[in-house]
Amino acid sequence: MGRALVLNASYEPLGVVASRRAVVLVLADKADVVHDTGRCLHSVRLQVAVPSVIRLRYLVKVPYQRRVNLSRRAVLFRDGRRCQYCGRDADSIDHVVPRSRGGAHAWDNVVAACRRCNLAKGNHLLGEISMTLHRQPAAPKHLSWLAVTVERVPEHWKPYLGEQLLSA
């Protein structure tokens, strides 16, 4: 059906929900439609616009900074689907310091890699073979979790996300 961006009462992005859940929040008077998709849900007595962006009517306290979970999809998104060794299209991930040599499965040790470079590197450290990284791996920025959730951020969401997502 689609997805909707959920904003706090202060217009801070909180998350992404299914459009059906967004409609339920609006019908329960817990949220207001900020932007709709142009489509409608119909019932016998009711016609409701399908929201794309909703704002909660009450302020939700967010006690922690949300982080992106480490996954293959998230690593490929962070690195722009480019191999960090040669620059070609990446289709896998690689541990810079292999796990068998004490490397952690963490944001600062995992990069996107093409199959050719991944096989060439194998179980070696970068110093043992003549491979270098184009960019040092690091955890994604503040709102990257949102882009990983939806793959493609709709244009009408960008004003609510501001510069935080665009610089991620």
Side-chain angles (χ1 to χ4, degrees):
M1 182 177 197
R3 294 182 173 249
L5 176 65
V6 179
L7 303 174
N8 209 343
S10 62
Y11 286 90
E12 171 192 8
L14 289 178
V16 178
V17 297
S19 294
R20 184 176 302 237
R21 175 72 178 136
V23 168
V24 169
L25 288 170
V26 170
L27 290 175
D29 288 330
K30 293 183 179 183
D32 297 316
V33 176
V34 177
H35 190 276
D36 65 52
T37 61
R39 297 178 312 183
C40 292
L41 285 177
H42 301 276
S43 73
V44 175
R45 297 185 192 110
L46 189 62
Q47 178 178 337
V48 180
V50 177
S52 178
V53 180
I54 61 172
R55 184 180 70 85
L56 297 177
R57 289 186 173 183
Y58 51 90
L59 189 65
V60 174
K61 185 178 178 185
V62 182
Y64 62 93
Q65 190 77 353
R66 188 170 182 175
R67 290 185 291 172
V68 180
N69 292 329
L70 179 58
S71 67
R72 178 180 177 275
R73 181 177 170 183
V75 171
L76 289 172
F77 175 80
R78 178 198 66 188
D79 293 343
R81 299 194 70 85
R82 292 280 169 218
C83 177
Q84 294 303 298
Y85 299 115
C86 69
R88 287 193 294 262
D89 285 340
D91 52 5
S92 65
I93 62 171
D94 180 58
H95 291 84
V96 178
V97 177
R99 294 187 78 181
S100 63
R101 293 189 164 200
H105 185 64
W107 280 108
D108 58 352
N109 191 44
V110 179
V111 294
C114 66
R115 188 169 292 141
R116 185 172 150 194
C117 290
N118 204 346
L119 289 172
K121 182 177 170 290
N123 196 31
H124 299 286
L125 298 173
L126 293 178
E128 297 173 354
I129 54 177
S130 60
M131 293 179 88
T132 58
L133 287 171
H134 286 289
R135 183 177 62 165
Q136 282 299 113
K141 302 273 193 266
H142 176 62
L143 285 177
S144 295
W145 60 266
L146 186 66
V148 172
T149 304
V150 294
E151 286 188 24
R152 188 185 67 77
V153 177
E155 283 298 317
H156 55 272
W157 287 14
K158 290 182 180 177
Y160 307 105
L161 302 176
E163 296 297 318
Q164 299 168 344
L165 180 67
L166 304 175
S167 65

